[in-house]
Amino acid sequence: MNASPRLFDDVSQDVPMSHQAMDVVEVDLAENAPLLFRFDGNTSSDPDRASVGLGLAGLGVLLFCLSVAIPLGIELVEDVFSGRPAFWVMGGVAMLVIFPAGSVGSFSIAAAMFWHVPLVIRYAVAIALFVPSVVGFTISLAMVETVDWADIVPSVAVLFSSVFVCAATVGILAQLCTPWTLAHLRTTSEQLPRLGIQTLIQLTTIVAITFAFVSVLKSEVPIEATLAFGGVSALGAVMGIVACVAYLRDAPVGRKGVIASCVTAFAMSFAFVACLATVEFGWQSVVYQAHVTLPLSLFGAAIIGAFTSACVYWLRQCGWRCVR
């Protein structure tokens, strides 16, 4: 059987499954993984691992840098605006500071859990991508603000645990409820594993461990703030999954994919603006001040779209695809 020149071509039905698993797919890195090709051409002995390592490392480094920059950005804003700025200025600046890390973080967690590998590996990868950024954010915040570690660490852990759990849940549900999954560059035609009972048992165990960790933390963070962080993270994860399905397929991008991406980005931005407006002026202001909240939400959606597009572009350059 001749090796197919395409990365995700279907395997012939005339070949037994035992032989299908042994087939090696001829991969054109210049076409399927341009970033890997720029590093060493087609000479890589293990492009699969290179695709995984480079793709995930890029997301992790970007998320870490953006997370560390949040407290620094807040400090800079406080120095520039000595008084209380107008709501649209305050909201726009908050989006510029928070949304880059928020969108990249939600995308990274959801993408890791949307990956086709065993669930334990996904969870470990998502933790490896997320925890260093949370630690970096905490250290940066402690350096900028005069705070007590005993107060800040539990609060940060609770808030970002809700972010992690909600984004990870979206990634798992997307794979359970849709025919799509995320796959790195693959040089074999072995069929992708399907979710089974063992996966569901692992998922139950992981969720139980995560909630047990959160329950032992003593934090004064209001439940409303925790729910708000988790809800916005879930919307960001939905945006990430939709973007993966729309732009990482080996097919032309359809109008529905573009519309769905824009709608989910706007929903995430609008949820943030609505929470901010409700805290400042009451929930009625979300509607009565629509001439402010809607343009502000569009501005936030543009930021989310830009950074999500950067993540999708990076994964595609590293050979990742969304496949059935």
Side-chain angles (χ1 to χ4, degrees):
M1 179 179 177
N2 295 329
S4 172
R6 291 178 58 83
L7 183 59
F8 295 115
D9 278 351
D10 294 334
V11 181
S12 173
Q13 298 295 326
D14 298 331
V15 182
M17 182 62 66
S18 59
H19 294 286
Q20 291 180 14
M22 300 298 293
D23 289 343
V24 177
V25 179
E26 182 181 334
V27 176
D28 183 2
L29 292 183
E31 177 183 355
N32 293 291
L35 194 58
L36 299 184
F37 180 77
R38 293 192 189 99
F39 280 138
D40 57 4
N42 279 317
T43 62
S44 176
S45 59
D46 196 350
D48 302 60
R49 290 189 177 181
S51 173
V52 172
L54 192 60
L56 295 176
L59 295 181
V61 170
L62 178 60
L63 178 58
F64 180 83
C65 294
L66 293 174
S67 299
V68 171
I70 290 178
L72 303 178
I74 295 175
E75 180 70 11
L76 178 62
V77 169
E78 291 178 350
D79 292 340
V80 173
F81 298 100
S82 57
R84 187 174 183 82
F87 174 76
W88 66 272
V89 174
M90 179 176 61
V93 171
M95 289 177 173
L96 284 173
V97 173
I98 298 174
F99 273 12
S103 55
V104 174
S106 299
F107 177 90
S108 300
I109 298 169
M113 302 305 288
F114 194 45
W115 197 13
H116 71 83
V117 298
L119 187 63
V120 174
I121 297 179
R122 304 184 205 182
Y123 187 77
V125 168
I127 289 290
L129 290 175
F130 193 62
V131 170
S133 301
V134 176
V135 174
F137 168 83
T138 306
I139 295 175
S140 179
L141 182 61
M143 292 174 60
V144 172
E145 303 286 346
T146 304
V147 293
D148 186 358
W149 284 97
D151 295 331
I152 188 175
V153 171
S155 299
V156 170
V158 169
L159 286 176
F160 284 97
S161 293
S162 68
V163 169
F164 181 89
V165 169
C166 291
T169 301
V170 169
I172 288 293
L173 290 178
Q175 194 179 56
L176 283 171
C177 303
T178 71
W180 297 100
T181 187
L182 197 60
H184 61 278
L185 185 72
R186 301 173 68 240
T187 54
T188 65
S189 58
E190 182 179 0
Q191 289 188 347
L192 296 177
R194 296 183 178 181
L195 296 180
I197 296 178
Q198 183 179 3
T199 303
L200 297 179
I201 294 175
Q202 293 175 351
L203 178 61
T204 303
T205 304
I206 289 172
V207 171
I209 293 173
T210 303
F211 276 103
F213 167 75
V214 175
S215 63
V216 300
L217 297 175
K218 297 185 181 299
S219 171
E220 298 181 357
V221 177
I223 186 63
E224 294 81 3
T226 305
L227 294 176
F229 268 69
V232 173
S233 170
L235 291 173
V238 171
M239 167 67 184
I241 298 299
V242 171
C244 287
V245 176
Y247 302 109
L248 288 182
R249 297 179 299 168
D250 282 328
V253 179
R255 182 182 302 176
K256 292 182 179 179
V258 175
I259 294 175
S261 300
C262 294
V263 169
T264 49
F266 179 82
M268 178 181 176
S269 179
F270 182 77
F272 178 85
V273 174
C275 291
L276 194 61
T278 301
V279 170
E280 290 291 320
F281 309 109
W283 64 268
Q284 299 92 339
S285 62
V286 178
V287 177
Y288 295 155
Q289 301 294 324
H291 62 284
V292 175
T293 58
L294 291 181
L296 199 57
S297 299
L298 289 173
F299 175 70
I303 299 175
I304 297 168
F307 280 89
T308 302
S309 298
C311 294
V312 172
Y313 178 78
W314 177 264
L315 288 183
R316 189 171 187 89
Q317 291 291 302
C318 294
W320 290 62
R321 295 293 186 272
C322 198
V323 299
R324 286 182 178 273

